[in-house]
Amino acid sequence: MAQFKLADRLEKLPPYLFAEIDRIKAQVAARGVDIISLGIGDPDMPTPDFIIEAMKKALEKPANHAYPSYAGMPAYREAVADWYKMRFGASLDPKTEVVSLIGSKEGIAHFPLAFVNPGDLVLVCTPNYPVYNIATEFAGGVVKFVPLTEGNSFLPDLDAIDEATWVKAKAIFVNYPNNPTAAMADEAFYVKLIKLAKQYNVIVVHDTAYTEIYYNENNRPLSIMSVPGGKDVAIEFHSLSKTYNMTGWRIGMAVGNPDLVHGLGKIKENVDSGVFQAVQEAGIAALREGEPFAAELRAIYKQRRDTVIAALKKAGIRCNVPESTFYIWAHVPEGYTSSAFVTKVLQETGVVVTPGNGFGAPGEGYFRISLTVNDARLEEAVSRIANL
Ligand SMILES: *Cc1c(COP(=O)(O)O)cnc(C)c1O
């Protein structure tokens, strides 16, 4: 067999921090232990029927069988703009300020190719969804991590970024509600970020996959598009995946500054041919009729959250009570590293949780629990942890 060496960009990828967990998980499973995974960020419940019905109808239309337009159907982009108006009060021009995505991960991964030249500096708030730094590096950019610490409510300390860094930075990746810390950002944070971005001509890349997974009606997550000046400096990535249990369908959107949206569209024009139109029609149904379903989903996650919080409390494990996302970001007990604790939990209880350092160095000392298993399994998992 001929041997082919991977490109440098793949050879340079950081080691996969969850590989060790996967190995131990296989060992524990081989002992016959019933494994419960609280490790994955993928909803366990099915896509609701009204979306599936919309998809079935859309499949029957021959017009949907052709290549879609790379930017998305006008009707889909209008549904996105209308949803942003209804949910956030933000005004977007569906023609120039909205582009469809094959899931928001696709858009996030392609975005640096449109705006980052080799050697350009890009700020990435961490712990983080790994796509931000990896996609930046694929484009040849240089990543500077900005730590998110509990002392600053897991927001980046924007004042601690020195002037020379701001001057050099091309873009900053931020993500609220945040995966993995479950933190939310308030309006004052966005106002300050927008001011700095304008002052130093830095692109704000905002990932908002979790805005609809919230638990306090009086403190709903914001879009940077609803903050004055936000659209001038930002592109915001959003997704139908988490709100409507559609992770497998691959549909999302990017909205914001028309130059940024256009640049991303240029990349997409050259690498993919858009989202299957039947999926876009299902997406329209989700965006236009999905709010009652989203409300039910929130109630389910809230119940699960309260179950887990109570069990962690009983076990003496410290954590904040998240007001959004389906994650709980908890402290590992005194005397453990993230890896040591996660390994112990897995070996002794068969429950998989994610070590915080897997998301970046400032995640050390934490672990992440995902609320994406059904009540019975979740109860079983937390009782095993509480009895550890
Ligand atoms: C799940 C997730 C996404 C991506 O979702 P898509 O399915 O690609 O739309 C993006 N960002 C974060 C932080 C996520 O957790």
Side-chain angles (χ1 to χ4, degrees):
M1 193 85 78
Q3 301 250 300
F4 300 104
K5 200 177 161 310
L6 290 172
D8 294 346
R9 72 177 63 83
L10 287 182
E11 294 284 5
K12 275 196 310 206
L13 280 183
Y16 178 60
L17 268 152
F18 306 126
E20 178 67 3
I21 303 292
D22 289 346
R23 197 182 58 78
I24 300 165
K25 185 173 147 187
Q27 275 177 4
V28 174
R31 293 205 314 257
V33 175
D34 163 39
I35 302 274
I36 304 177
S37 181
L38 307 182
I40 36 175
D42 192 354
D44 58 305
M45 293 168 282
T47 308
D49 285 340
F50 77 95
I51 297 175
I52 293 175
E53 290 308 317
M55 178 71 177
K56 284 183 183 164
K57 277 205 202 103
L59 276 173
E60 304 280 349
K61 295 186 202 162
N64 284 339
H65 302 170
Y67 281 122
S69 77
Y70 74 90
M73 297 161 77
Y76 176 72
R77 287 184 283 154
E78 276 159 26
V80 169
D82 289 349
W83 182 80
Y84 257 81
K85 184 84 199 166
M86 178 196 68
R87 169 63 176 87
F88 299 113
S91 298
L92 297 167
D93 179 347
K95 290 195 191 66
T96 57
E97 297 173 345
V98 179
V99 63
S100 67
L101 299 174
I102 310 170
S104 62
K105 182 180 187 180
E106 176 266 305
I108 293 165
H110 281 137
F111 183 74
L113 291 176
F115 289 95
V116 176
N117 280 318
D120 280 353
L121 185 71
V122 173
L123 306 179
V124 173
C125 299
T126 191
N128 64 291
Y129 187 60
V131 184
Y132 314 145
N133 50 295
I134 291 173
T136 298
E137 283 167 5
F138 280 178
V142 176
V143 172
K144 186 178 170 85
F145 286 107
V146 179
L148 305 178
T149 62
E150 194 155 2
N152 204 44
S153 308
F154 298 110
L155 295 170
D157 182 355
L158 299 172
D159 295 323
I161 301 172
D162 60 42
E163 169 125 36
T165 301
W166 280 117
V167 169
K168 266 206 278 177
K170 181 79 203 208
I172 180 168
F173 278 89
V174 289
N175 161 223
Y176 294 101
N178 186 258
N179 175 10
T181 68
M184 288 170 66
D186 58 8
E187 174 141 13
F189 168 75
Y190 291 114
V191 167
K192 187 165 192 173
L193 179 62
I194 291 164
K195 182 165 173 273
L196 286 160
K198 278 198 174 153
Q199 185 178 345
Y200 295 106
N201 206 39
V202 173
I203 300 166
V204 176
V205 186
H206 193 219
D207 180 2
T208 50
Y210 295 95
T211 64
E212 302 319 291
I213 312 296
Y214 58 80
Y215 307 113
N216 179 351
E217 287 288 337
N218 300 317
N219 184 25
R220 294 194 300 169
L222 300 175
S223 159
I224 198 170
M225 295 302 140
S226 66
V227 181
K231 197 164 74 177
D232 298 340
V233 292
I235 185 164
E236 185 162 271
F237 289 90
H238 212 307
S239 168
L240 278 59
S241 288
K242 311 292 164 55
T243 313
Y244 310 108
N245 293 341
M246 292 178 78
T247 50
W249 296 60
R250 312 315 301 134
I251 183 160
M253 60 275 210
V255 305
N257 175 301
D259 291 346
L260 300 178
V261 168
H262 178 72
L264 175 59
K266 286 295 266 189
I267 296 293
K268 289 177 57 57
E269 196 176 10
N270 287 287
V271 297
D272 66 58
S273 297
V275 178
F276 181 24
Q277 287 193 167
V279 171
Q280 294 188 57
E281 289 199 9
I284 293 168
L287 290 166
R288 295 210 182 275
E289 300 156 41
E291 182 45 30
F293 172 79
E296 283 169 31
L297 190 64
R298 287 191 284 272
I300 293 170
Y301 286 133
K302 187 174 189 187
Q303 173 76 44
R304 292 178 180 181
R305 177 199 70 168
D306 294 344
T307 301
V308 173
I309 295 286
L312 292 177
K313 207 166 172 193
K314 200 171 141 214
I317 290 171
R318 284 193 296 137
C319 67
N320 293 326
V321 180
E323 289 205 351
S324 64
T325 78
F326 47 58
Y327 302 111
I328 292 174
W329 187 241
H331 286 268
V332 300
E334 199 85 25
Y336 289 96
T337 62
S338 291
S339 301
F341 179 69
V342 164
T343 302
K344 179 185 163 80
V345 170
L346 176 53
Q347 281 177 333
E348 295 181 16
T349 72
V351 175
V352 182
V353 296
T354 313
N357 61 314
F359 301 98
E364 179 54 53
Y366 295 88
F367 67 102
R368 191 191 74 177
I369 290 176
S370 178
L371 302 174
T372 52
V373 298
N374 69 38
D375 288 344
R377 297 296 277 165
L378 199 58
E379 302 253 5
E380 165 70 18
V382 294
S383 82
R384 289 189 206 168
I385 294 177
N387 293 324
L388 190 69

